[in-house]
Amino acid sequence: MEKSKKKISLTLQITIGLVLGIIVGLLLQNNANIATDYIKPIGTIYLNLIKMIVVPVVLLSIIQGIISLKDIRKVGSIGVRTIVYYLCTTAVAVTIGLVFANIMKVGAGYVLGEGELSYTASAAPSFIDTIVNIFPSNAVTPLANATMLQVIVIALFFGFGIILAGDKGTIAGNVVESFAEVSFKIMEMIIRISPLGVFALICPVVASNGPAVLLPLLKVILVAYVGYIIHAIIVYSSTVKAFSGISPFKFFKGMVRPMMFAFSSASSVGVLPFNLEATQKLGARKEVASFVLPLGATINMDGTAIYQGVCAIFIAEIFGIELAFTQQLTIILTATLASIGTAGVPGSGMIMLAMVLQSVGLPVEGIALVAGIDRILDMGRTVVNITGDAACAICVDAMDKKREAKRNKIAG
Ligand code: ASP
């Protein structure tokens, strides 16, 4: 009782931090430098602490998860289900983005000003490079650079190695177990200061994104957010309900904390500790969540896919380019692949947008038009990204539990 009281109050504290951050940000709009010089560093320290603990948590919790699954084939079947869920929901997400952007005529009414078009796209990696880059040539550098996909691969190999080593791997397994617990405790300490962290992250964003930046692109923001909300409500509610029986209300209520943190930090990777906690409270087993979520924070970006669909149509409309049906299908494919290559850090979806635009011959310079509001779009898409990861963890866990129950029944 005591414990749950305390937890509710932390969520409330984070909400207060978020609301206060927005209010103070609005008040500081004419003195945005106060927010960026004095408040932003606190947010940066907080985000640094989260980033510091994310690599040990992901590495150790995946290894620990694999050891407790005990069976390489089982890891494989969970992995396949996870990837199928991620790819299908992302394809649905881009489609939703495209449909709403087309119906709501996202580019209508926007007047292209002079000198607005100077964006040099930094080269997005090709699909093959993305695949090759998953496999590290060094077991330490990815940990130092927090290259999450590579960290996951290292964790998988060590996990499998420990299982295959049998008795001789027991000590390694115990060491992992012990350090994993230590990292979770560190994570809890950091989470306790989230109300302050959330305040300090959101305040400078609001202070420096005043009406002058937002108003001309209000329609893009509106269409993207409609897409985000529709996707979250329809896709996640229905899959979570269908596979695990959890009601949409319970699911979203359980997700409030990670969603708020995603909104203020715009970093899927930073949200991982919150997401691990929330999904387990919603009933997902730790060994499944600690495998599915880090993978999702790295490759599953439904919100980013919606944003890319909306921006592609916006840029096409502004430049008076008619996109054929087949070109829109190409966008679905490239945006789904681009989401795999999008890192779970602020702003990376905008870099991958270049790849999507290029795939259908749209002018990359168009990104300059939406760059000014990227943070606002990023906050929403990150919320969707991490909610998708959590929904997948719950669904895959439920599927696996059913499979186990069936097997036990047959065996019994
Ligand atoms: N910020 C997003 C995330 O961390 C990625 C993006 O920029 O789209 O999930």
Side-chain angles (χ1 to χ4, degrees):
M1 188 66 208
E2 179 60 38
K3 214 174 167 190
S4 81
K5 223 171 156 186
K6 205 166 149 196
K7 279 185 185 147
I8 293 169
S9 83
L10 181 62
T11 306
L12 197 68
Q13 284 172 33
I14 299 179
T15 316
I16 295 170
L18 186 70
V19 175
L20 272 184
I22 294 174
I23 296 174
V24 176
L26 287 172
L27 294 175
L28 287 178
Q29 268 184 3
N30 294 328
N31 298 299
N33 63 318
I34 296 183
T36 34
D37 292 350
Y38 301 106
I39 300 179
K40 199 174 171 193
I42 302 173
T44 310
I45 293 176
Y46 175 66
L47 213 51
N48 283 351
L49 289 177
I50 298 256
K51 284 186 192 151
M52 168 196 82
I53 200 61
V54 147
V55 170
V57 164
V58 168
L59 181 79
L60 297 165
S61 62
I62 292 186
I63 302 180
Q64 198 192 25
I66 292 174
I67 304 173
S68 48
L69 287 173
K70 288 193 194 76
D71 179 354
I72 293 182
R73 259 179 320 179
K74 194 166 171 192
V75 179
S77 93
I78 290 180
V80 169
R81 282 159 207 254
T82 303
I83 289 173
V84 169
Y85 183 98
Y86 282 159
L87 289 180
C88 292
T89 50
T90 306
V92 172
V94 206
T95 313
I96 288 180
L98 288 174
V99 168
F100 278 95
N102 278 306
I103 295 177
M104 294 170 79
K105 297 219 180 313
V106 65
Y110 184 86
V111 189
L112 194 60
E114 270 182 37
E116 258 188 294
L117 292 177
S118 52
Y119 182 82
T120 340
S122 37
S126 75
F127 180 62
I128 293 294
D129 283 348
T130 309
I131 301 289
V132 171
N133 286 339
I134 295 174
F135 300 93
S137 61
N138 179 308
V140 181
T141 319
L143 308 183
N145 295 339
T147 322
M148 293 321 263
L149 268 188
Q150 298 189 346
V151 172
I152 293 172
V153 170
I154 294 171
L156 287 174
F157 276 106
F158 271 91
F160 292 147
I162 291 172
I163 295 179
L164 294 174
D167 285 347
K168 290 208 169 142
T170 314
I171 293 181
N174 289 341
V175 169
V176 166
E177 193 103 1
S178 166
F179 273 104
E181 284 313 313
V182 172
S183 325
F184 291 140
K185 286 289 164 222
I186 298 177
M187 195 176 86
E188 276 173 28
M189 287 191 263
I190 300 171
I191 286 181
R192 270 196 218 135
I193 52 166
S194 340
L196 177 65
V198 164
F199 168 84
L201 283 170
I202 197 82
C203 177
V205 174
V206 176
S208 44
N209 285 282
V213 182
L214 300 187
L215 278 182
L217 290 153
L218 217 50
K219 197 153 183 199
V220 182
I221 299 173
L222 182 76
V223 176
Y225 273 81
V226 167
Y228 297 157
I229 293 168
I230 298 282
H231 182 77
I233 291 182
I234 296 183
V235 177
Y236 303 146
S237 299
S238 60
T239 51
V240 166
K241 177 82 188 153
F243 288 107
S244 71
I246 294 177
S247 75
F249 178 74
K250 186 173 170 201
F251 173 67
F252 286 110
K253 189 165 170 253
M255 286 299 294
V256 166
R257 240 194 250 183
M259 286 166 100
M260 276 194 303
F261 186 72
F263 189 74
S264 37
S265 71
S267 167
S268 292
V269 171
V271 179
L272 259 176
F274 293 88
N275 230 359
L276 280 165
E277 189 191 43
T279 45
Q280 282 173 54
K281 271 200 213 139
L282 284 164
R285 285 163 302 173
K286 191 172 172 186
E287 57 269 32
V288 175
S290 54
F291 173 71
V292 176
L293 293 177
L295 191 64
T298 328
I299 69 165
N300 181 49
M301 308 277 166
D302 293 357
T304 305
I306 295 172
Y307 148 86
Q308 289 173 339
V310 172
C311 287
I313 299 297
F314 173 71
I315 292 168
E317 285 184 4
I318 295 296
F319 285 89
I321 302 169
E322 191 82 33
L323 285 178
F325 182 64
T326 48
Q327 284 177 303
Q328 304 219 15
L329 287 183
T330 309
I331 294 180
I332 296 180
L333 187 71
T334 43
T336 306
L337 296 179
S339 84
I340 298 175
T342 305
V345 294
S348 64
M350 197 173 80
I351 296 168
M352 298 307 278
L353 177 60
M355 173 178 144
V356 177
L357 297 179
Q358 275 161 346
S359 72
V360 285
L362 287 171
V364 191
E365 301 76 40
I367 296 178
L369 301 176
V370 283
I373 51 158
D374 189 62
R375 181 64 187 218
I376 306 294
L377 297 171
D378 198 1
M379 297 191 306
R381 65 187 189 242
T382 309
V383 172
V384 180
N385 292 346
I386 61 101
T387 310
D389 302 340
C392 179
I394 290 169
C395 292
V396 168
D397 180 68
M399 277 185 248
D400 195 62
K401 278 182 194 148
K402 274 186 202 140
R403 210 174 59 134
E404 242 168 44
K406 219 185 216 170
R407 205 186 288 154
N408 290 343
K409 213 171 164 190
I410 293 168

